[in-house]
Amino acid sequence: MDKKRLPVGVLIVFTMFLGIVGYLVASSFVRRGLPTFEPSAIAPQPIDSDRIVSDTLTVDARDQSRWSYVDFDHRSVVLPPDTAGWDLAFRRFHVIASGGIADLGAVGFESVMHAPTDGFVPTRLASDTVNPAIDRWYDYSFLSHLLESKHHLYVVRTPEDRYAKFSILSYYCPGFSAGCVTLRFTYPLAPSEKR
């Protein structure tokens, strides 16, 4: 009686397939060491336009149905009806600006001392409002299902024609709850020396 045997190639491919499936399943349960931050208190500071401030701010952007606003003049998240002077707004992973945003790329935070003269992209108002300069500030991992900052440096031009530099440090609240966008910023940033 002749027994049929599976070809060795089929066994190798099947073993590799099981290994890949096992790796993908195991990877989906692994949490990476991303930083998490509590949302910052809403505490607008008195305006002192001459004082340069470098700080961090965590915006609670977990609500998909509303924007959360940042006003750099007040160094704080601001809530309606006090949003007239907003500079950036966040809704989940979406970021828009009331002025324009320039993406300076993956450069060191301390290496930029002046705002660029050009490259500011306005927010595009549509059914899905976006700012193309910062639309993809993150890398998404299909294995961990987490968003991780590309650590680009951005400069926002405010409606008052002032500048802030910022970079996104994290997107997570404690417990890896998504939507706590943490910024490192310096405001005001000096205008370009080339003007």
Side-chain angles (χ1 to χ4, degrees):
M1 182 175 219
D2 187 20
K3 294 184 179 178
K4 292 194 175 187
R5 301 175 82 192
L6 287 175
V8 174
V10 171
L11 289 174
I12 291 172
V13 169
F14 182 70
T15 302
M16 289 174 57
F17 172 76
L18 287 179
I20 291 170
V21 169
Y23 172 76
L24 292 174
V25 170
S27 296
S28 69
F29 291 106
V30 174
R31 294 286 186 187
R32 297 187 61 190
L34 295 176
T36 62
F37 298 89
E38 289 284 346
S40 297
I42 298 170
Q45 304 296 313
I47 296 173
D48 179 358
S49 61
D50 295 329
R51 186 171 66 105
I52 297 173
V53 174
S54 290
D55 204 352
T56 59
L57 183 65
T58 301
V59 181
D60 187 347
R62 292 178 277 190
D63 188 342
Q64 289 184 350
S65 64
R66 69 174 178 84
W67 291 96
S68 296
Y69 301 92
V70 170
D71 184 346
F72 285 116
D73 281 328
H74 290 94
R75 282 83 166 164
S76 179
V77 173
V78 290
L79 297 174
D82 299 323
T83 58
W86 71 276
D87 300 310
L88 292 174
F90 300 84
R91 190 183 72 220
R92 299 291 287 175
F93 54 86
H94 300 287
V95 184
I96 60 173
S98 59
I101 297 176
D103 180 357
L104 304 184
V107 299
F109 192 86
E110 300 300 334
S111 69
V112 174
M113 304 305 292
H114 300 278
T117 56
D118 56 13
F120 290 93
V121 178
T123 294
R124 187 175 61 226
L125 302 173
S127 59
D128 188 19
T129 301
V130 298
N131 186 295
I134 196 169
D135 188 34
R136 290 291 179 190
W137 60 264
Y138 57 86
D139 287 319
Y140 175 73
S141 170
F142 285 102
L143 297 179
S144 66
H145 303 293
L146 297 175
L147 300 184
E148 187 170 358
S149 175
K150 291 181 179 177
H151 298 291
H152 281 203
L153 184 63
Y154 302 94
V155 175
V156 61
R157 181 178 56 218
T158 72
E160 299 84 20
D161 210 21
R162 300 185 79 188
Y163 302 92
K165 68 177 177 179
F166 70 96
S167 116
I168 297 176
L169 302 178
S170 177
Y171 178 63
Y172 294 96
C173 311
F176 281 98
S177 173
C180 288
V181 184
T182 301
L183 311 174
R184 178 183 181 192
F185 72 91
T186 296
Y187 179 81
L189 183 65
S192 174
E193 294 179 320
K194 296 179 183 176
R195 286 189 164 188

